[in-house]
Amino acid sequence: MSAVDGLTGLLNRRAFETRLHEVWEAAATTGGEVGLLFIDVDEFKAFNDFYGHQAGDEVLRQVARLLDAHTRATADIAARYGGEEFLVLMPGCSRHAALERAERLRAGIEAACMEHAASPVQGCVTVSIGLATQHPASGVDPAALVRAADEALYAAKAAGRNRVMMPSA
């Protein structure tokens, strides 16, 4: 099976989960930290309803290109999780560094100013990002990291979207 998402060219969810387990076990062995960004394109259904699905696909490709450009400059791993959701896995990344990267990504997508007239958030495409970091332990399921980032994503959406949120330390 292909490891690449056909629409965006990023890793697909299955390939991402394989990489997550590899990174998790490596960090458990070395005592490193792992960060994860859970990214959702704000008001994507409204975008598709207003502009159509082909335009929505193009926005997903553009967001993917921005994520890919970020990961080429770091050791990070970007993937499409499904629909309008993306993940960025950050091996060896501290909480502080992860927050800086997340905010840089959020601001970069906002600065690309892809028109979104149907958004109550802003007139251009924005993203909400949930961030979590953990020190992995061998034998512990890395799904806990994904759940923590997903919960932080819901907090970002509840707080008004177009922001980065993380669990309190």
Side-chain angles (χ1 to χ4, degrees):
M1 294 188 88
S2 175
V4 176
D5 175 68
L7 179 67
T8 64
L10 298 177
L11 288 181
N12 62 26
R13 184 173 177 169
R14 182 181 179 143
F16 174 82
E17 288 173 356
T18 299
R19 293 298 310 271
L20 173 61
H21 283 275
E22 293 168 356
V23 166
W24 187 266
E25 288 303 318
T29 302
T30 63
E33 194 167 6
V34 176
L36 181 69
L37 305 180
F38 208 129
I39 303 163
D40 184 79
V41 178
D42 293 327
E43 303 294 344
F44 189 70
K45 182 184 180 326
F47 186 95
N48 272 344
D49 290 348
F50 190 83
Y51 294 100
H53 292 279
Q54 288 181 329
D57 287 351
E58 183 55 32
V59 161
L60 295 178
R61 283 190 287 271
Q62 288 182 35
V63 168
R65 281 192 290 274
L66 291 167
L67 294 176
D68 185 56
H70 162 79
T71 59
R72 270 190 255 129
T74 64
D76 298 349
I77 301 161
R80 182 173 180 207
Y81 195 66
E84 70 276 10
E85 295 177 326
F86 298 89
L87 298 171
V88 175
L89 181 63
M90 301 176 291
C93 191
S94 71
R95 183 176 174 92
H96 177 74
L99 180 58
E100 286 180 351
R101 288 183 193 173
E103 182 53 37
R104 199 167 36 249
L105 279 171
R106 187 211 59 76
I109 290 168
E110 182 179 32
C113 207
M114 297 170 267
E115 182 181 331
H116 189 345
S119 175
V121 179
Q122 192 166 317
C124 60
V125 171
T126 60
V127 294
S128 296
I129 302 176
L131 170 125
T133 59
Q134 291 185 3
H135 290 277
S138 190
V140 174
D141 188 358
L145 179 64
V146 177
R147 279 191 303 276
D150 189 33
E151 289 171 12
L153 171 61
Y154 277 94
K157 291 166 116 5
R161 294 181 165 75
N162 191 25
R163 67 193 68 234
V164 177
M165 298 285 286
M166 62 183 161
S168 53

